[in-house]
Amino acid sequence: MSVQTEWRRLSVALLVWIPLFSASAQTDPVLWQWVNAESLTVAGQGWRDTQLPFDRLPARAEALVRPAVWNLSRNTAGVCIRFLSDATTLKVRWTLLNQNLAMPHMTATGVSGLDLYVNRDGRWHWLGAGRPERFPDNEATLFSGIPAGKRVYVLYLPLYNGLIKLELGVEPGFVLKPAPVCRKPPIVWYGTSITQGGCASRPGMAASNILSRRMDEEFINLGFSGHGLMEPEMAHLLAELNPALYVLANMENLKAEQVFERATAFVGVLRAAHPRTPILLVEPVRFSHAFLQPTVNRDILQKRRELRRAFETLLRNGVGDLHYVYGDALYGEDGEATVDGVHATDLGFMRQADALEPLLRGLLENSR
């Protein structure tokens, strides 16, 4: 090979290498300050003695509840991180527990993503979302280029997936610290897939999270998709908590013939542990397709009758501070509130919040 040919090959190699080197040299990676979210204010969690940092039931519950309930308790529905920051850019990285990022009728952001709100003049305003793209590790920029200034944030965790690890990142010199802890007793909401947040487009749109922002209250979301069955072990676990109010919305998961016995027994356990805590029984929603499906409609009506019978029986037996909400207002009458006739869209969750908010406010005012 001639010297001239060798020089030409070397020149081509240099032309290829130099731009790559230059681009690399121009990239000045920020040395991000990463903060473990466990060191910030964790809200919406009833127990702290959990296997993973953001599980919804205590570690010992694995030996108490059915495997399906335990697995669903690893989903982080309703759990959120509250923090203060003056950062102009915020990054997040999270490690998922389960590899199913999405469901056919529910977005990946709702199932496995993160949802950020900022407090703006005393009201919560959406700011950014972390969209999951792979399993198990994800990283996203929640916002960038905003004016510097101290603000309060809340980051909602996935509705139908669990987290092994969660970190927030800011550039050097900016603050990221815990927000003040809510000192008021929480509202405990036990129920079904609808309670858990199926099928909100993003975590902040689950009804309990909407109401938490509107009412400035902490909600503990104990929705268990398909498995909110009012079992005795769950009654005793809920009785360990010390809430301002219990909301029981389980009827969609029960058979009509189970409603009376399970509702009365469940309320009995809670009332024995908490003689003065308000308890709200929630009728099943009217499925959007029920008006043309007589069998579906009859089942809903029968569950409602059995729940009403349980409610009236408990009142006659001296159970006080027991309340009841009708189901028709929870989705509205136009059939537009669900993704599949049963599970709520964001519109459906907004309607639930609209229907429940005045009632919840009234119960809290009377009990505090």
Side-chain angles (χ1 to χ4, degrees):
M1 181 181 294
S2 68
V3 173
Q4 186 177 16
T5 302
E6 181 63 25
W7 174 249
R8 284 175 180 168
R9 291 184 61 187
L10 180 59
S11 298
V12 171
L14 284 169
L15 287 172
V16 172
W17 177 74
I18 288 173
L20 290 175
F21 176 80
S22 299
S24 175
Q26 291 170 4
T27 300
D28 184 18
V30 174
L31 297 176
W32 292 89
Q33 299 179 117
W34 290 99
V35 176
N36 190 325
E38 296 173 58
S39 69
L40 302 173
T41 302
V42 181
Q45 193 177 32
W47 295 265
R48 291 290 186 257
D49 52 335
T50 55
Q51 281 192 13
L52 290 176
F54 310 112
D55 286 355
R56 294 185 296 153
L57 290 181
R60 56 192 158 78
E62 185 175 13
L64 303 175
V65 301
R66 291 180 295 110
V69 175
W70 173 250
N71 290 336
L72 287 164
S73 79
R74 320 304 299 277
N75 298 167
T76 54
V79 182
C80 60
I81 309 299
R82 297 181 180 272
F83 59 96
L84 305 172
S85 182
D86 59 353
T88 60
T89 300
L90 179 68
K91 288 183 177 289
V92 64
R93 56 192 187 192
W94 68 106
T95 301
L96 294 165
L97 178 63
N98 302 313
Q99 65 183 8
N100 294 327
L101 299 184
M103 294 188 285
H105 60 338
M106 188 170 176
T107 69
T109 303
V111 171
S112 303
L114 305 168
D115 205 10
L116 182 71
Y117 281 74
V118 62
N119 195 289
R120 180 186 182 194
D121 299 325
R123 296 174 64 89
W124 291 102
H125 196 287
W126 183 86
L127 188 59
R131 298 190 294 265
E133 297 179 351
R134 62 190 62 84
F135 173 83
D137 297 317
N138 287 271
E139 183 172 324
T141 299
L142 292 172
F143 62 75
S144 180
I146 72 170
K150 294 180 181 179
R151 300 178 179 90
V152 183
Y153 297 91
V154 59
L155 181 68
Y156 294 103
L157 307 192
L159 295 171
Y160 272 79
N161 209 327
L163 291 185
I164 296 173
K165 189 175 183 180
L166 174 66
E167 294 177 301
L168 296 171
V170 295
E171 295 172 288
F174 289 102
V175 172
L176 186 61
K177 62 182 183 179
V181 175
C182 178
R183 299 298 179 186
K184 296 181 288 187
I187 296 169
V188 172
W189 192 335
Y190 174 51
T192 68
S193 55
I194 300 170
T195 299
Q196 187 171 338
C199 292
S201 65
R202 48 188 176 82
M205 292 307 295
S208 61
N209 290 339
I210 294 171
L211 286 164
S212 179
R213 293 193 300 276
R214 287 186 184 180
M215 298 173 61
D216 191 28
E217 300 282 352
E218 182 177 4
F219 279 70
I220 295 174
N221 184 321
L222 293 176
F224 295 89
S225 181
H227 294 277
L229 298 176
M230 295 189 117
E231 294 153 311
E233 54 269 30
M234 285 303 300
H236 290 288
L237 282 167
L238 266 66
E240 294 177 5
L241 303 174
N242 188 29
L245 169 67
Y246 286 107
V247 179
L248 305 180
N250 305 79
M251 300 310 117
E252 292 85 358
N253 283 171
L254 296 177
K255 296 178 181 178
E257 57 269 26
Q258 295 175 314
V259 169
F260 178 84
E261 180 181 351
R262 295 204 178 192
T264 52
F266 205 96
V267 169
V269 171
L270 297 183
R271 182 52 77 231
H274 302 279
R276 294 181 180 146
T277 302
I279 299 172
L280 177 64
L281 298 175
V282 182
E283 274 191 349
V285 297
R286 185 178 294 278
F287 297 162
S288 299
H289 55 294
F291 74 104
L292 276 182
Q293 298 202 353
T295 301
V296 174
N297 194 52
R298 278 197 301 271
D299 184 60
I300 294 169
L301 294 177
Q302 182 62 23
K303 289 180 181 181
R304 290 180 175 181
R305 283 193 292 268
E306 290 300 301
L307 184 63
R308 188 71 191 182
R309 183 164 73 93
F311 172 68
E312 292 173 351
T313 299
L314 288 163
L315 290 179
R316 284 196 302 271
N317 291 341
V319 176
D321 223 342
L322 184 66
H323 307 272
Y324 192 93
V325 61
Y326 294 98
D328 281 347
L330 299 177
Y331 276 175
E333 300 290 339
D334 58 8
E336 300 289 0
T338 74
V339 68
D340 56 5
V342 177
H343 298 95
T345 59
D346 292 353
L347 173 63
F349 285 123
M350 290 290 286
R351 288 179 175 175
Q352 281 189 45
D354 290 343
L356 291 172
E357 183 181 357
L359 178 58
L360 297 179
R361 285 187 182 276
L363 293 177
L364 291 175
E365 288 173 7
N366 292 333
S367 65
R368 285 176 172 164

